Amino acid sequence: MLPCPFHFGSRRSFLDVSTGKSIHVRILDLYGRHHLFGSTVEGLIVLCWQDTLAFQLLNLLMGQRTANLPRVTTTERAIRDFGVGSAGLTGNSMVALHYGFGYGIAVARPGDKFWTRLHASGRSKSAMSFAGRFYCVTSENILVVETTANRRPQLAVAVDFEPGNGFGYNDELQLVDNGGELILVHLACHGHPDNTFFSGKYTTYRVRLDTRSTEPMHGLCGRALFMGTSRSLSMRARVSRSMSEDTVYMCCDYNKVSGAPNSVLAIDLLGRCFGPRTRLQHCPLQLGR
């Protein structure tokens, strides 16, 4: 869904990231009765009813909702600060949330009384649904939510990283659906001199779930990647003449020095050039929290 400058009354503009075509859909006003979390890179909005604190997932484009999920056991004030980085289905009608500033994982089915919290061995840096399963990544491995019948849900290792791979605790690691292929984007973070952006080396890896391994890849297979603070979105570069192939667009909510909103740093993964820091009047993708 494109941001407010592209809206027409109650109709919202949606962009197809594969074809570049847009449609306009009438969206009901969700404020007043709900707390809104998200959006997620999967295209879902996480809702929390203000009166019951029960959760739902909403597909804005289709207007479909899940049945009520368990309420959260917290205060009304705390729920306003509840952060959701991602949400999706894990199979067997189970929903997974990647939530909080510690990036925890919790799962539940409609009708359950409680959420089940799952614990990773390290800090979960990003998470997403892919091919009907829910994955998260730490600096040590890629984990998947297992929902075997008659067993408590758990996080299982899908890929173990090689020792000494160079993934630091403070580095950015994000899982991305790159046109139907699961990839891992690694940013070795270093403070930028003006404290406006993190700068460093970007590396992309193809995730081989069949061999439980990763392998370096060259660029993004001709696609463009918009990377935010908690999630990323890959799209065909041909969607817009303003995009370049095999380029990462690092999106920031604002420039800490100038206060300018919607700042973007373009980084060419093939080493042809480094794009300038740019202020976009209307950033097409708002990926930060």
Side-chain angles (χ1 to χ4, degrees):
M1 186 172 70
L2 297 175
C4 292
F6 299 93
H7 295 172
F8 303 92
S10 62
R11 300 178 70 84
R12 302 294 182 256
S13 298
F14 287 82
L15 174 71
D16 187 321
V17 298
S18 297
T19 65
K21 296 185 180 297
S22 61
I23 61 174
H24 305 292
V25 179
R26 190 175 302 279
I27 300 295
L28 296 177
D29 186 9
L30 297 173
Y31 291 97
R33 294 183 298 166
H34 307 89
H35 299 291
L36 270 64
F37 305 109
S39 58
T40 70
V41 73
E42 295 86 353
L44 302 173
I45 298 294
V46 182
L47 301 176
C48 178
W49 288 86
Q50 291 185 0
D51 53 352
T52 65
L53 297 185
F55 272 67
Q56 284 186 319
L57 294 189
L58 168 67
N59 183 322
L60 276 180
L61 186 61
M62 305 300 295
Q64 297 174 328
R65 305 187 189 207
T66 63
N68 278 352
L69 296 162
R71 68 186 305 274
V72 292
T73 54
T74 186
T75 65
E76 178 76 12
R77 180 176 180 180
I79 198 67
R80 297 191 189 102
D81 298 325
F82 189 83
V84 174
S86 185
L89 301 178
T90 67
N92 299 324
S93 301
M94 184 167 284
V95 172
L97 292 182
H98 185 230
Y99 70 95
F101 299 107
Y103 296 102
I105 302 288
V107 296
R109 292 185 178 91
D112 285 352
K113 293 182 178 180
F114 305 101
W115 288 91
T116 300
R117 296 184 181 182
L118 308 182
H119 300 283
S121 56
R123 178 174 176 266
S124 177
K125 294 176 176 288
S126 74
M128 66 172 294
S129 289
F130 180 78
R133 307 191 77 185
F134 197 79
Y135 296 89
C136 66
V137 58
T138 73
S139 57
E140 300 174 355
N141 46 38
I142 297 175
L143 303 171
V144 61
V145 176
E146 292 284 7
T147 57
T148 307
N150 302 322
R151 292 186 60 184
R152 185 182 186 276
Q154 61 181 349
L155 286 173
V157 176
V159 174
D160 253 332
F161 298 143
E162 293 291 334
N165 55 29
F167 295 166
Y169 180 81
N170 293 321
D171 291 354
E172 290 283 347
L173 289 169
Q174 293 199 19
L175 295 171
V176 179
D177 183 347
N178 195 51
E181 180 181 50
L182 185 63
I183 68 171
L184 175 67
V185 180
H186 172 224
L187 169 59
C189 293
H190 307 286
H192 196 277
D194 63 7
N195 294 319
T196 305
F197 297 98
F198 283 112
S199 62
K201 180 181 179 181
Y202 283 82
T203 311
T204 54
Y205 298 85
R206 184 171 284 110
V207 178
R208 298 289 192 185
L209 295 172
D210 54 345
T211 60
R212 299 166 59 93
S213 62
T214 60
E215 62 181 35
M217 58 186 295
H218 191 57
L220 293 166
C221 301
R223 299 174 69 87
L225 175 66
F226 286 82
M227 190 169 180
T229 55
S230 62
R231 51 192 173 268
S232 299
L233 180 63
S234 169
M235 58 184 5
R236 294 182 60 189
R238 294 181 181 178
V239 165
S240 170
R241 289 178 294 178
S242 301
M243 299 180 195
S244 298
E245 295 182 349
D246 301 293
T247 300
V248 173
Y249 295 90
M250 188 67 186
C251 304
C252 298
D253 290 336
Y254 65 96
N255 184 306
K256 294 181 181 179
V257 176
S258 66
N262 303 328
S263 298
V264 176
L265 175 64
I267 299 175
D268 191 327
L269 293 179
L270 301 185
R272 292 165 294 193
C273 65
F274 278 81
R277 287 192 298 273
T278 313
R279 178 183 176 182
L280 300 183
Q281 185 174 1
H282 301 307
C283 185
L285 298 170
Q286 297 175 341
L287 296 175
R289 280 199 180 279

